[in-house]
Amino acid sequence: MPHLTTDKWIEAIKHKTEKVGGISIGEASERDLFYAICAIASEEMNKNWIDTQEKYRETECKQVYYLSMEFLVGRLLESNLLNSGMLNECNSALEAMGFDPEKVYSVEPDAGLGNGGLGRLAACFLESIASLKFPGHGCGIRYRYGLFEQRIIHGHQVELPDYWLKEDYPWETRKAEEAVDIHFGGDIHMFKKNDGTLEFKYENTDKVTAVPYDVPVVGYQNQVVNSLRLWSAESNSGSSDLLTSKSSQYFHHLDHKHSIEQISGFLYPDDSGYDGKILRLKQQYFLVSSSLKSIIRQFKKNGRHSLMHLPDRVVIQINDTHPSLAVPELMRILMDEERFGWDDAWEITTKTIAYTNHTTLSEALEKWPQDMVKSLLPRLHMIIYEINERFCRKVWEDHPELRDKIHELAIIADNQVHMARLAIVGSFSVNGVARLHTEILKKKEMSNFYTLFPERFNNKTNGITHRRWLLQVNPELSTLISDVIGPQWIQRPNHLISLLRYSNDVPFLERVSEVKLQNKARLAQFIHEKTGIVVDERSIFDVQIKRLHEYKRQLLNIFHVIHLYNELKDNPSLDITPRTFIFGAKAAPSYYFAKEVIKLINRMASIINNDTSIQGKLKVVFLENYNVSLAEKIIPATDISEQISTASKEASGTGNMKMMMNGALTVGTLDGANIEIRDLVGDRNIFIFGLTADEVHDYYQNGGYVARDIYHTDERVRRILDQLNEGAFGSQEIEFKDIFYHILYHNDPYFVLKDFDAYIETHELVEQAYRNQPKWMNMSMTNIAYSGKFSSDRTIQEYASEIWKLKRMD
Ligand code: 26V
């Protein structure tokens, strides 16, 4: 790539703003500069984008398509500049012109097309696929509204629509000529042809046009630019139709147009249960059908191969069950449009599709009412019905030992379509996202399927792109690392292990510690600007940032805070290292309990932060609207990473990896990827506490846990619960009573009280460790050194060689 020097950047920016934007550089705002730089960067990237796609076409290489309802990409300008090797020069140019690069980059809206870990994982994967030179693309939906914007008003969460597309989005290219038609509903007619085969015709369907918008995915300094294809739903009744129609028709048209555009209207917040949300089912089919049509069109472009060879050239990874209609839809296309018989179509389908599971929480396993599937997708319903019939018959015949389990295996049972079962039966690979999670799938949640298809199950422990989550967000630490071990870690993150040699190098550790302090000071400044709260950058920054869910146990964290506050009130001269507890979390709009927890955190923040009697030893900060950009500010400043889910509930976690990579120490349960972090760094370099997954499972199975017993025996717990019950923190007595009742009357289903004692004790160890800074810095460096394993480069390498069978393009 021809490199622009700083001077050339200055020239190009001036040219763009003056000649193209019509604004003199002296008058230009940060927004003007942002658009100018995007345009310049795009020009540089576009040639590589075209060349990459041409190369894929010419070499007819196998390509992966990552189908996902969510891609949480965040902002792209800085990472695109970084990956195309232009960031430093662009920064210098901006500074020379008197601009703050950070302010210019923050003009970009966060593309918040995801809820949390699952969506961010998809974005990290795309970055690694491109950086490792694998041919692969994302397929998703171009929601006009991303996940809601969260405001905290009087301590309550308030949701505002996130209209992220209100201004031009500079990274997308509309490809109207590649639009495809998607059909919903209608009547199915079946004909028997002379040769005895069946033909299906559809009539009176509702037609929706799917228009792709492509976003470039730039590999790290390697000339590769892959695509993220986001589909937008449009009605193709043009404005001329509207002009000529009678007024009644006119309104009918508008209504129709609106209902079609709603399909890509907004992203559903998770944790809310999609039961009965027909629009969500429409979105899923819309994604799957448009993506498959575009994949097949691409495959056919050189016209030399039969679709029998599809699995040699295409692999489709479905991100959770949300795109699992890919199974019946590919069958439909192959049979009804391409004239394959059932057996061939089934062989092609099940050799092409692979499925990743991201949760074992039963509330989160997708099921659709059979009637809804039947009326919205009548032909797919027939196919799913047939898949189920054949599958159940085979189990009955070949596996007598599972005959009494057919009800738990059937894809259609109790008038519901079970999407995970459909995904397992219709794919050649089923993977979990961390070792423990995969074991739970095999031994517990999906054990019957594991008996049937042991060869399909495999583990792919998640990862994060270290280029965004270390190199980009923590440039000062990255420079220090490269100073001592060289820059190879950027291409080969496992090289970070060489840092172990410096884990006792005091001058080096002091420099690292200085960088952490600067990052904390920057975050403190941000906190002050946003909330007015003054925090001490020398206090321990104890951070929990993730979606708000009972299983993630933000409640346990705030109970610890309340406990410390109680202790300080009893004994104001208590000698504790000052702490700043930082929270960021969105709750699903309809999730009452999660919102109560947000209220409690905010209430404790206002009580504690304003209580001068504790001399600033504790601060509590809830940062509103947690998203990718906010994570980028918090993570480099974190000392303690809270990963405290009830064991067995968090499939993997990825925030744990991001914080470890930035030198934070984990306080965590033996859950998800925490276990693999512990295995690497060793017990001495992590703070593990609480029940194990087996213990949790045993309590669920056999009982034996009585939350009330802890309430009665542990004074600290009783005091906190009574405070909640008696309105000690409420403006009215009844406030927070529900938390008290919820815990005691539902027998504390997430074991908050059970793990409380161990959690408090662990935090005492944290405190002691922090007092010994050389020791702490040694632990911190050990964590950074081992974090290379959690680069998504490693994860993608495993997917590529073990599932996708892809070759790198070099
Ligand atoms: C969805 C729902 C919907 C209904 C109510 C409860 C509930 C709870 C969780 C979810 C999310 C399911 C899928 C998901 O986002 N899983 C996350 O995937 C991440 C990437 O693999 C992983 O790191 C997280 O541990 C996992 O929770």
Side-chain angles (χ1 to χ4, degrees):
M1 197 174 290
H3 274 284
L4 291 180
T5 59
T6 301
D7 288 344
K8 288 258 186 272
W9 263 107
I10 296 178
E11 210 176 289
I13 293 173
K14 282 190 175 154
H15 177 83
K16 274 277 177 262
T17 46
E18 287 174 7
K19 302 272 167 10
V20 183
I23 295 159
S24 82
I25 191 71
E27 305 283 297
S29 64
E30 270 129 9
R31 170 163 273 94
D32 299 322
L33 288 212
F34 166 73
Y35 280 104
I37 295 170
C38 287
I40 298 163
S42 296
E43 282 166 23
E44 298 289 314
M45 285 153 31
N46 280 348
K47 184 176 173 338
N48 287 334
W49 201 1
I50 294 166
D51 289 351
T52 303
Q53 304 313 311
E54 228 166 63
K55 194 161 169 196
Y56 294 164
R57 248 196 316 278
E58 276 167 14
T59 57
E60 298 187 6
C61 56
K62 188 172 184 185
Q63 305 188 45
V64 63
Y65 294 89
Y66 198 82
L67 262 60
S68 178
M69 290 286 282
E70 304 187 12
F71 285 94
L72 227 182
V73 294
R75 292 180 180 141
L76 288 181
L77 177 53
E78 198 178 351
S79 68
N80 284 348
L81 289 171
L82 175 69
N83 281 13
S84 21
M86 303 192 282
L87 183 61
N88 290 339
E89 290 76 9
C90 180
N91 282 343
S92 314
L94 281 171
E95 279 157 8
M97 295 162 80
F99 286 93
D100 175 356
E102 203 182 306
K103 289 208 175 115
V104 173
Y105 302 147
S106 57
V107 168
E108 181 169 357
D110 255 52
L113 309 184
N115 274 285
L118 171 141
R120 182 55 231 176
L121 185 76
C124 283
F125 278 7
L126 293 187
E127 199 277 343
S128 279
I129 290 171
S131 291
L132 294 173
K133 296 192 164 189
F134 284 118
H137 314 278
C139 301
I141 293 179
R142 180 182 180 268
Y143 303 104
R144 275 195 310 287
Y145 292 87
L147 188 66
F148 65 86
E149 191 184 314
Q150 179 196 53
R151 294 274 168 82
I152 300 297
I153 300 180
H154 303 308
H156 296 242
Q157 167 174 299
V158 173
E159 301 98 23
L160 301 177
D162 166 43
Y163 190 34
W164 70 292
L165 285 171
K166 59 180 167 286
E167 286 170 57
D168 253 10
Y169 185 56
W171 303 115
E172 64 181 14
T173 308
R174 181 183 162 92
K175 298 269 173 72
E177 65 294 349
E178 294 187 50
V180 294
D181 286 336
I182 308 300
H183 297 267
F184 291 96
D187 313 309
I188 312 283
H189 299 285
M190 189 170 73
F191 302 92
K192 199 162 193 166
K193 301 220 311 192
N194 290 340
D195 62 3
T197 58
L198 294 176
E199 189 170 324
F200 292 86
K201 289 231 163 84
Y202 323 140
E203 272 174 9
N204 306 319
T205 57
D206 281 327
K207 195 175 84 179
V208 175
T209 304
V211 182
Y213 286 71
D214 287 353
V215 176
V217 180
V218 186
Y220 184 74
Q221 302 186 9
N222 66 1
Q223 264 86 34
V224 171
V225 181
N226 290 334
S227 302
L228 167 57
R229 173 156 278 198
L230 298 175
W231 295 96
S232 178
E234 295 185 6
S235 128
N236 55 6
S237 61
S239 47
S240 55
D241 294 355
L242 296 175
L243 274 177
T244 53
S245 54
K246 295 195 203 98
S247 72
S248 62
Q249 282 168 337
Y250 171 80
F251 287 114
H252 174 78
H253 267 306
L254 278 188
D255 231 19
H256 187 64
K257 189 169 147 65
H258 177 76
S259 79
I260 285 175
E261 286 167 358
Q262 268 304 91
I263 295 176
S264 52
F266 69 95
L267 165 72
Y268 274 94
D270 75 9
D271 314 20
S272 57
Y274 306 121
D275 291 358
K277 309 266 182 358
I278 194 165
L279 183 55
R280 170 83 181 175
L281 184 60
K282 280 191 195 171
Q283 291 184 334
Q284 296 186 347
Y285 182 65
F286 175 76
L287 165 69
V288 156
S289 185
S290 46
S291 304
L292 285 174
K293 284 184 176 173
S294 143
I295 291 166
I296 289 174
R297 183 191 280 171
Q298 182 70 27
F299 173 88
K300 285 179 162 180
K301 260 194 185 146
N302 65 35
R304 289 194 297 118
H305 301 286
S306 143
L307 278 162
M308 235 22 241
H309 294 285
L310 189 71
D312 304 329
R313 300 263 308 280
V314 167
V315 54
I316 294 171
Q317 188 72 41
I318 58 174
N319 198 20
D320 216 317
T321 54
H322 319 147
S324 56
L325 289 173
V327 172
E329 175 65 1
L330 184 53
M331 288 295 285
R332 186 194 66 77
I333 295 174
L334 291 170
M335 295 190 301
D336 298 0
E337 293 177 11
E338 304 290 339
R339 314 294 315 140
F340 283 94
W342 182 278
D343 292 337
D344 284 344
W346 187 244
E347 187 179 330
I348 297 170
T349 300
T350 52
K351 281 185 170 171
T352 303
I353 297 177
Y355 155 57
T356 305
N357 173 286
H358 294 267
T359 184
T360 54
L361 291 185
S362 53
E363 325 83 278
L365 291 180
E366 281 194 302
K367 299 181 257 317
W368 291 105
Q370 195 181 348
D371 288 345
M372 196 193 279
V373 177
K374 194 170 177 178
S375 66
L376 187 70
L377 306 166
R379 180 61 181 136
L380 256 63
H381 176 261
M382 293 168 78
I383 294 170
I384 296 169
Y385 192 90
E386 183 66 22
I387 294 172
N388 185 46
E389 285 286 308
R390 289 176 185 237
F391 168 64
C392 290
R393 201 176 312 135
K394 197 157 170 51
V395 174
W396 185 265
E397 284 164 7
D398 298 355
H399 291 271
E401 79 282 9
L402 289 176
R403 281 185 186 172
D404 60 340
K405 298 273 166 44
I406 296 239
H407 186 77
E408 291 160 45
L409 287 162
I411 297 165
I412 303 176
D414 302 323
N415 304 315
Q416 294 199 301
V417 182
H418 292 251
M419 305 311 269
R421 301 178 192 173
L422 177 63
I424 300 171
V425 173
S427 55
F428 68 89
S429 164
V430 178
N431 76 281
V433 290
R435 198 206 308 140
L436 171 72
H437 171 60
T438 302
E439 288 308 307
I440 292 174
L441 292 179
K442 293 200 292 196
K443 306 230 165 81
K444 307 222 153 77
E445 295 313 310
M446 297 177 169
S447 64
N448 294 329
F449 285 101
Y450 182 55
T451 307
L452 288 173
F453 313 118
E455 71 295 341
R456 289 187 196 181
F457 284 75
N458 64 93
N459 177 246
K460 296 288 168 282
T461 298
N462 282 168
I464 55 167
T465 163
H466 61 288
R467 284 168 291 270
R468 180 181 284 257
W469 295 107
L470 178 52
L471 188 58
Q472 182 187 320
V473 306
N474 204 341
E476 293 85 1
L477 176 60
S478 300
T479 304
L480 281 185
I481 293 173
S482 296
D483 279 354
V484 293
I485 65 167
Q488 297 97 309
W489 65 273
I490 298 168
Q491 310 275 1
R492 306 225 170 279
N494 274 333
H495 279 205
L496 288 171
I497 200 69
S498 313
L499 286 169
L500 284 183
R501 273 187 265 138
Y502 301 87
S503 61
N504 288 308
D505 178 331
V506 175
F508 174 66
L509 294 181
E510 275 169 2
R511 283 158 73 201
V512 173
S513 170
E514 191 53 37
V515 165
K516 177 68 83 178
L517 192 64
Q518 279 167 21
N519 292 338
K520 288 166 74 176
R522 243 194 310 265
L523 181 61
Q525 170 77 23
F526 176 83
I527 289 172
H528 185 244
E529 281 162 20
K530 290 283 165 187
T531 67
I533 302 167
V534 176
V535 306
D536 177 1
E537 70 253 31
R538 297 202 175 263
S539 63
I540 302 175
F541 278 21
D542 184 328
V543 174
Q544 190 172 18
I545 42 176
K546 49 185 78 249
R547 286 301 296 276
L548 213 140
H549 197 285
E550 284 163 275
Y551 84 79
K552 295 180 186 281
R553 299 200 294 191
Q554 281 92 352
L555 193 60
L556 179 58
N557 188 344
I558 199 71
F559 277 15
H560 173 225
V561 175
I562 297 174
H563 165 70
L564 289 177
Y565 182 57
N566 285 338
E567 295 238 285
L568 278 171
K569 292 302 279 182
D570 292 347
N571 178 8
S573 61
L574 197 72
D575 178 27
I576 65 164
T577 309
R579 282 218 201 200
T580 302
F581 292 91
I582 298 169
F583 294 86
K586 289 180 180 173
S590 65
Y591 193 168
Y592 169 76
F593 190 77
K595 289 180 152 183
E596 286 295 295
V597 175
I598 289 183
K599 249 169 48 187
L600 179 59
I601 296 170
N602 280 289
R603 181 60 51 79
M604 292 320 299
S606 85
I607 294 173
I608 292 173
N609 300 338
N610 294 307
D611 185 339
T612 50
S613 77
I614 59 163
Q615 304 149 42
K617 288 178 185 166
L618 296 182
K619 287 284 164 78
V620 181
V621 178
F622 188 100
L623 286 170
E624 67 183 3
N625 202 35
Y626 178 58
N627 61 9
V628 172
S629 298
L630 187 53
E632 292 171 358
K633 291 192 173 64
I634 299 172
I635 289 169
T638 299
D639 293 313
I640 283 294
S641 156
E642 298 277 353
Q643 307 299 336
I644 58 178
S645 53
T646 310
S648 79
K649 303 284 178 191
E650 189 70 273
S652 161
T654 43
N656 46 2
M657 303 169 183
K658 293 166 196 159
M659 293 197 246
M660 169 198 196
M661 198 173 266
N662 283 273
L665 303 187
T666 304
V667 169
T669 47
L670 284 174
D671 201 14
N674 299 350
I675 298 177
E676 290 162 70
I677 296 178
R678 195 264 326 243
D679 288 353
L680 285 174
V681 303
D683 283 313
R684 290 183 302 119
N685 294 303
I686 189 167
F687 300 97
I688 294 291
F689 73 98
L691 294 174
T692 62
D694 283 340
E695 288 165 343
V696 167
H697 186 77
D698 193 58
Y699 280 128
Y700 283 138
Q701 287 257 295
N702 307 317
Y705 171 51
V706 183
R708 269 189 183 278
D709 291 349
I710 296 185
Y711 172 76
H712 288 299
T713 51
D714 189 328
E715 273 170 37
R716 304 161 303 176
V717 167
R718 189 166 59 252
R719 181 168 177 189
I720 295 166
L721 283 173
D722 286 348
Q723 285 170 318
L724 294 175
N725 189 33
E726 288 158 8
F729 309 126
S731 50
Q732 296 154 314
E733 199 192 313
I734 79 157
E735 223 177 356
F736 307 125
K737 259 190 195 320
D738 281 349
I739 297 181
F740 173 87
Y741 286 118
H742 191 83
I743 293 277
L744 291 182
Y745 288 68
H746 293 101
N747 198 32
D748 185 18
Y750 296 96
F751 302 95
V752 173
L753 305 191
K754 183 78 189 162
D755 278 345
F756 178 83
D757 178 59
Y759 185 56
I760 301 299
E761 214 170 281
T762 299
H763 270 294
E764 280 161 12
L765 297 178
V766 167
E767 158 118 28
Q768 284 167 25
Y770 196 79
R771 285 171 188 240
N772 183 349
Q773 273 298 302
K775 169 86 190 315
W776 183 275
M777 287 312 297
N778 166 277
M779 294 171 76
S780 167
M781 192 47 59
T782 308
N783 272 267
I784 302 173
Y786 281 108
S787 69
K789 161 166 176 185
F790 300 106
S791 165
S792 43
D793 285 6
R794 188 266 313 148
T795 315
I796 287 303
Q797 201 61 261
E798 290 176 7
Y799 273 92
S801 67
E802 294 161 27
I803 303 177
W804 302 337
K805 315 285 181 204
L806 281 196
K807 285 208 270 299
R808 292 172 67 135
M809 296 296 296
D810 35 25

